[in-house]
Amino acid sequence: MVSTLARPGRKLAKRLLLLQACVVLATAILMVTTVNVDWGISALIGGGIFVVANAAFALCAFLFSGARAAKLIVASFFSGEVLKILLTVVLFSVVYLYAEVELVPLKLTYLLVLGINILAPVLFINNNK
């Protein structure tokens, strides 16, 4: 019973992560075909940073479910958000230090997927009614 309460949220999170990954892949392919391979790789890395961090958050957010675990749910949600922010900072730092990337597609793809993260849940929720 408890896991059935969290099932719609988990399903929404999976759909959102899949949509984000598809948009990142499509953007990277578009960059490769229109500009060059370096832009495509940079777009893939930028969007990948967001998708990986968001997946880590989703794992933490849905770790617990049920009314008896309310405090654990809140704690895992906030720790997931902290993990997401730290993971984003660390991954961007690693990319800036050790990879030669184009900054324009890296940041544009990150922001594109961030916009999808903001707008897509509204579309998914309204689609179910």
Side-chain angles (χ1 to χ4, degrees):
M1 178 68 182
V2 173
S3 66
T4 59
L5 296 174
R7 192 171 295 138
R10 287 182 181 145
K11 184 179 177 185
L12 181 64
K14 286 179 186 177
R15 288 177 64 192
L16 183 59
L17 285 169
L18 183 62
L19 176 66
Q20 291 170 348
C22 289
V23 167
V24 168
L25 191 59
T27 305
I29 291 170
L30 183 69
M31 294 284 184
V32 167
T33 57
T34 58
V35 183
N36 62 24
V37 175
D38 292 337
W39 275 55
I41 292 171
S42 298
L44 190 64
I45 291 170
I49 289 171
F50 188 86
V51 172
V52 167
N54 211 24
F57 168 74
L59 285 173
C60 288
F62 292 107
L63 200 58
F64 302 102
S65 61
R68 291 184 182 165
K71 290 181 181 180
L72 292 173
I73 292 169
V74 172
S76 68
F77 186 86
F78 284 117
S79 64
E81 189 62 31
V82 169
L83 177 65
K84 178 180 176 179
I85 292 168
L86 288 175
L87 198 55
T88 302
V89 169
V90 167
L91 289 174
F92 268 118
S93 299
V94 167
V95 168
Y96 288 152
L97 290 174
Y98 298 111
E100 292 185 25
V101 294
E102 298 287 335
L103 293 181
V104 173
L106 179 88
K107 292 180 180 181
L108 280 178
T109 308
Y110 182 86
L111 291 174
L112 174 69
V113 182
L114 177 64
I116 289 171
N117 194 48
I118 293 169
L119 298 176
V122 173
L123 298 174
F124 287 157
I125 291 170
N126 289 338
N127 224 6
N128 291 335
K129 290 182 180 179

